[in-house]
């Protein structure tokens, strides 16, 4: 069924120790470049891969001149310091903090209060979660009953956000947020039927092809489990998490990516595997990543690079950037410089190797956001220290854009800086209009508004260069599109645009991940096969024929933001449901 966006009615569905590296030392920079020359053959192989992928995808480089983006504060005081964030299918953004912080700066509605075993405030009349509306730049308080500190989450196929674990009384809790239009009221509900089988603090959730979430790890939780439960005998021991543990617990918030063959790529500390969760077997082991630990509390970040229909989704690459030197968490007073490297690996190669790239800025606690153009935005974080209360200094104020398919020596562009440090407990999420919402930063155990890095309650939006008015004539507008697309089936999108559309048009499906602690759980971009673009009806109106993802292994059943990208300039996204 096609539905005009002007009269849209949303359809509802039934549901190690690493060596120290000082990037400011010229010898270390030289050493990094020597390492690069040692990998000249790897770079040649990578360059060939990039060229082939670029030609197959029909992409043009996203240059758009020298624009480096812009910043704006969209809310001066959201009431809470955001630790977790997720964008709903109605375009609103759920923001959460922990509950054991004492009072926040936004009251629960109607004089409501929370009475609990809270460690700080037993009788609390303030909210620890809010719903942000990007269209009006307003927030509405939401009610959370148990502590969500360092919890995990993911959207279910019906668009419901399932949020799991946390600390203290919340460590086994399952919470549900069923989003609604902005004209209605919806709120958090703590499940009375579901409970985690193992306490989960710093775990990672990933939606699976069958619509079930797998929950991996957590502090002292070397196991996996499923939600809703599918293993009634208890959580399943996962030796990989035990083997990657160290004195800092650098295997927390493991990076988990669902591969197009249905297996899972799992990275913890400096090691990674391909795991067949159906047979409970490790089917592939990768070389250890060079450099620093990359997971919490060392806090690098990771994305699975775009999945391309142009190569039948047969090439899978993972990018891991930043992190903290080993010991930065245990000895925060040393102010150890953060990692300045990214490492990229082709998971699907027979003999995969890590290929190193040097970032313009050393960074830990950075968030990596896939953009609809297939670029990666590296944003937030610090250049020294690690995660933890007051463990970082030297905020990394400049985002960096990583051009995925450019030549290896031309991938990084330093973007315009913010004036607001975003370090421990900050988030970043892609919005429907192509901006990146940035929130949070609280390197204190409680809300503290003094010192060098006070608790941050402002919400900020970064506009990448493609949103510059200079490129407005290239921006498509989606006018007619399907509300639901079925695996393997063709569909048609109608777009309008001031200037002529070109053969470089792309259609990207973007998941809505759960952002927390420098990692966006469940993040993926699927670049679809696009047929002919035919001018129809009148000037500057086009129909684009595309093919839906072939299987739930490529795109788990869920709501996705669908962008049309013309010459590096994306439309505002429309939400579509991908299902059987």
């Amino acid at each position: 069924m096609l539905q005009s966006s002007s009269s849209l009615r949303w359809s509802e569905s039934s549901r190690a120790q690493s060596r120290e590296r000082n990037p400011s030392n010229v010898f270390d920079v030289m050493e990094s470049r020597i390492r690069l020359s040692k990998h000249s053959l790897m770079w040649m192989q990578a360059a060939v891969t990039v060229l082939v992928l670029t030609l197959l995808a029909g992409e043009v480089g996203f240059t758009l001149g020298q624009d480096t983006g812009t910043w704006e504060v969209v809310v001066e005081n959201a009431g809470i310091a955001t630790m977790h964030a997720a964008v709903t299918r109605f375009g609103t953004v759920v923001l959460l903090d922990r509950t054991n912080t004492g009072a926040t700066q936004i009251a629960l509605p109607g004089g409501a209060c929370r009475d609990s075993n809270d460690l700080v405030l037993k009788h609390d009349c303030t909210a620890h979660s809010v719903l942000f509306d990007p269209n009006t730049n307003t927030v509405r308080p939401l009610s959370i009953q148990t502590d969500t500190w360092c919890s995990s989450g993911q959207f279910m196929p019906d668009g419901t956000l399932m949020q799991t674990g946390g600390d203290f009384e919340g460590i086994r809790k399952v919470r549900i947020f069923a989003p609604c239009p902005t004209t209605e009221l919806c709120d958090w509900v703590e499940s009375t039927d579901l409970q985690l089988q193992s306490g989960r603090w710093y775990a990672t959730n990933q939606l699976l092809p069958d619509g079930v979430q797998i929950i991996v790890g957590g502090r002292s939780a070397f196991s996996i489990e499923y939600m809703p439960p599918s293993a009634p005998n208890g959580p399943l021991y996962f030796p990989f998490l035990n083997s990657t543990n160290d004195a800092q617990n650098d295997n927390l918030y493991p990076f988990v990516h669902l591969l197009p063959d249905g297996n899972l790529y799992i990275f913890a500390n400096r090691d990674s595997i391909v795991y067949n969760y159906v047979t409970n077997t490790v089917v592939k082991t990768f070389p250890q990543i060079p450099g620093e630990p990359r997971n919490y509390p060392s806090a690098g970040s990771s994305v699975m690079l775009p999945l391309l229909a142009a190569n039948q989704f047969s090439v899978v690459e993972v990018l891991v950037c930043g992190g903290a030197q080993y010991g930065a968490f245990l000895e925060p007073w040393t102010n150890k410089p953060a990692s300045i490297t990214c490492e990229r690996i082709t998971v699907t190669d027979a003999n995969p190797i890590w290929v190193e790239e040097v970032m313009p800025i050393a960074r830990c606690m950075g968030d990596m956001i896939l953009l609809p153009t297939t670029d990666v935005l590296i944003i937030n974080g610090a250049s020294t220290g690690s995660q933890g209360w007051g463990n970082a200094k030297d905020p990394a104020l400049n985002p960096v854009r990583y051009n995925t398919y450019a030549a290896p020596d031309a991938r990084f562009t330093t973007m315009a800086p913010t004036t607001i440090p975003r370090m421990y407990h900050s988030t970043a999420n892609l919005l429907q209009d192509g901006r990146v919402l940035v929130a949070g930063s609280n390197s204190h155990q409680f809300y503290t508004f003094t010192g060098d890095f006070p608790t941050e309650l402002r919400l900020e939006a970064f506009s990448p260069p493609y949103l510059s008015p200079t490129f407005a004539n290239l921006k498509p507008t989606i006018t007619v599109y399907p509300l639901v697309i079925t695996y393997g089936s063709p569909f048609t999108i109608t777009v309008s645009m001031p200037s002529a559309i070109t053969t470089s048009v792309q259609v990207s499906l973007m998941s809505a991940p759960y952002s927390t602690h420098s990692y966006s759980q469940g993040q993926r971009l699927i670049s679809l096969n696009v047929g002919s673009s035919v001018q129809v009806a009148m000037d500057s109106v086009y129909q684009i024929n595309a093919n839906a993802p072939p299987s739930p292994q490529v795109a788990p059943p869920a709501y996705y933001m669908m962008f049309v990208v013309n010459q590096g300039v994306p439309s505002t996204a429309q939400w579509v449901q991908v299902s059987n």
Side-chain angles (χ1 to χ4, degrees):
M1 177 181 68
L2 296 180
Q3 179 69 43
S4 169
S5 60
S6 62
S7 59
L8 176 64
R9 297 178 61 190
W10 295 98
S11 61
E12 304 292 336
S13 71
S14 54
R15 352 223 320 172
Q17 275 199 47
S18 98
R19 62 181 180 81
E20 294 188 357
R21 172 185 276 119
N22 184 344
S24 64
N25 186 319
V26 66
F27 295 105
D28 289 326
V29 174
M30 289 173 61
E31 180 184 355
S32 295
R33 301 196 180 279
I34 291 170
R35 289 184 65 190
L36 290 176
S37 66
K38 287 181 179 179
H39 292 301
S40 59
L41 177 59
M42 292 184 283
W43 282 121
M44 289 173 63
Q45 292 170 337
V48 170
T49 300
V50 166
L51 177 61
V52 170
L53 290 179
T54 302
L55 291 174
L56 285 173
E59 294 172 343
V60 294
F62 176 56
T63 53
L64 299 185
Q66 298 302 310
D67 194 306
T68 57
T70 59
W71 288 89
E72 64 174 322
V73 173
V74 293
V75 173
E76 285 289 346
N77 187 344
I80 68 167
T82 300
M83 185 184 297
H84 320 287
V87 181
T88 79
R89 65 187 182 92
F90 294 103
T92 53
V93 190
V94 182
L95 309 176
L96 297 101
D97 195 10
R98 46 188 283 239
T99 61
N100 287 324
T101 56
T104 67
Q105 291 196 351
I106 185 168
L108 287 167
C113 297
R114 176 177 67 99
D115 292 294
S116 69
N117 291 325
D118 191 286
L119 295 175
V120 176
L121 195 59
K122 307 295 183 184
H123 182 72
D124 186 2
C125 303
T126 62
H128 298 268
S129 178
V130 300
L131 189 67
F132 169 62
D133 182 355
N135 292 317
T136 60
N137 290 338
T138 57
V139 295
R140 176 171 67 82
L142 301 174
S143 178
I144 281 284
Q145 297 300 315
T146 56
D147 196 10
T148 58
W149 187 11
C150 301
S151 52
S152 55
Q154 193 100 144
F155 285 99
M156 298 297 287
D158 66 350
T160 295
L161 179 59
M162 179 180 288
Q163 206 270 345
T164 53
D167 189 30
F168 192 48
E169 83 282 14
I171 198 165
R172 293 178 183 264
K173 291 292 184 178
V174 176
R175 309 167 193 89
I176 303 296
F177 183 81
C180 59
T182 55
T183 55
E184 301 176 11
L185 297 179
C186 40
D187 208 339
W188 285 102
V189 175
E190 298 221 358
S191 177
T192 57
D193 303 319
L194 300 175
Q195 178 175 282
L196 294 176
Q197 297 169 310
S198 181
R200 302 282 171 186
W201 197 24
Y202 304 92
T204 297
N205 294 19
Q206 170 64 55
L207 184 67
L208 298 175
D210 62 358
V212 171
Q213 291 187 29
I214 188 170
I215 307 175
V216 182
R219 178 162 288 176
S220 301
F222 307 134
S223 62
I224 60 173
E225 64 178 281
Y226 298 90
M227 187 58 62
S230 58
N233 295 326
L236 185 65
Y237 175 60
F238 194 41
F240 174 72
L241 291 176
N242 202 352
S243 68
T244 53
N245 199 23
D246 62 22
Q248 295 187 147
N249 299 131
D250 274 312
N251 64 355
L252 300 178
Y253 281 126
F255 306 146
V256 180
H257 302 297
L258 174 67
L259 303 178
D261 64 2
N263 291 319
L264 296 173
Y265 175 85
I266 303 178
F267 181 107
N269 197 328
R270 296 175 60 209
D271 296 312
S272 55
I273 59 174
V274 171
Y275 173 64
N276 185 324
Y277 64 90
V278 176
T279 61
N280 186 31
T281 55
V282 175
V283 299
K284 195 171 187 176
T285 301
F286 297 89
Q288 191 172 76
I289 196 170
E292 296 75 19
R294 307 286 181 154
N295 294 87
Y296 181 93
S298 291
S301 190
S302 173
V303 292
M304 180 171 65
L305 294 175
L307 300 175
L308 306 177
N311 58 38
Q312 291 76 51
F313 310 105
S314 62
V315 178
V316 179
E317 294 183 277
V318 168
L319 184 68
V320 179
C321 294
Q325 290 190 38
Y326 183 83
F329 179 75
L330 295 176
E331 301 176 337
W333 59 88
T334 58
N335 296 322
K336 295 179 185 293
S339 171
I340 200 167
T341 65
C342 287
E343 301 283 345
R344 180 167 170 170
I345 194 167
T346 304
V347 174
T348 46
D349 277 0
N351 296 293
I353 55 173
W354 290 102
V355 179
E356 183 168 290
E357 303 178 65
V358 178
M359 297 187 291
I361 300 167
R363 194 181 306 255
C364 65
M365 295 187 291
D367 289 278
M368 294 172 68
I369 305 300
L370 289 166
L371 299 178
T373 57
T374 71
D375 291 343
V376 180
L377 188 70
I378 308 172
I379 197 168
N380 297 339
S383 294
T384 60
S386 72
Q387 298 213 47
W389 306 131
N391 286 1
K393 300 183 186 298
D394 304 316
L397 300 176
N398 293 81
V400 169
R401 188 179 72 213
Y402 179 88
N403 188 328
T404 303
Y405 300 117
D409 60 349
R411 289 181 178 154
F412 293 105
T413 303
T414 302
M415 310 305 284
T418 179
T419 59
I420 303 175
R422 301 284 184 177
M423 300 195 295
Y424 190 40
H425 290 154
S426 57
T427 61
N429 296 81
L430 179 69
L431 299 175
Q432 265 184 270
D433 60 12
R435 292 180 300 167
V436 174
L437 181 72
V438 176
S441 190
N442 187 16
S443 57
H444 311 279
Q445 186 170 2
F446 304 110
Y447 282 20
T448 303
F449 300 104
T450 59
D452 292 338
F453 305 112
T455 300
E456 186 55 65
L457 305 182
R458 286 172 289 183
L459 305 183
E460 204 175 10
F462 175 71
S463 294
Y466 54 63
L467 290 175
S468 168
T470 305
F471 310 111
N473 65 320
L474 298 177
K475 184 183 179 71
T477 298
I478 301 174
T479 56
V480 182
Y481 63 99
L483 298 177
V484 179
I485 60 176
T486 304
Y487 293 112
S489 298
F491 64 95
T492 300
I493 310 164
T494 301
V495 301
S496 63
M497 199 176 59
S499 63
I501 208 163
T502 74
T503 55
S504 64
V505 66
Q506 302 164 254
V507 175
S508 296
L509 293 181
M510 312 283 294
S511 68
Y514 179 90
S515 171
T516 188
H517 290 76
S518 305
Y519 179 57
S520 289
Q521 302 180 14
Q523 183 174 207
R524 68 203 294 116
L525 186 161
I526 301 116
S527 181
L528 301 180
N529 267 338
V530 176
S532 58
S533 300
V534 182
Q535 184 172 331
V536 296
M538 63 187 72
D539 289 343
S540 302
V541 178
Y542 301 85
Q543 282 188 339
I544 299 171
N545 304 308
N547 290 311
S551 69
Q553 286 75 24
V554 172
Y559 283 87
Y560 292 79
M561 287 185 281
M562 182 174 67
F563 290 89
V564 173
V565 185
N566 172 49
Q567 301 178 71
V569 179
S571 66
T572 294
Q574 299 292 352
W575 289 90
V576 298
Q577 187 177 23
V578 180
S579 68
N580 290 305

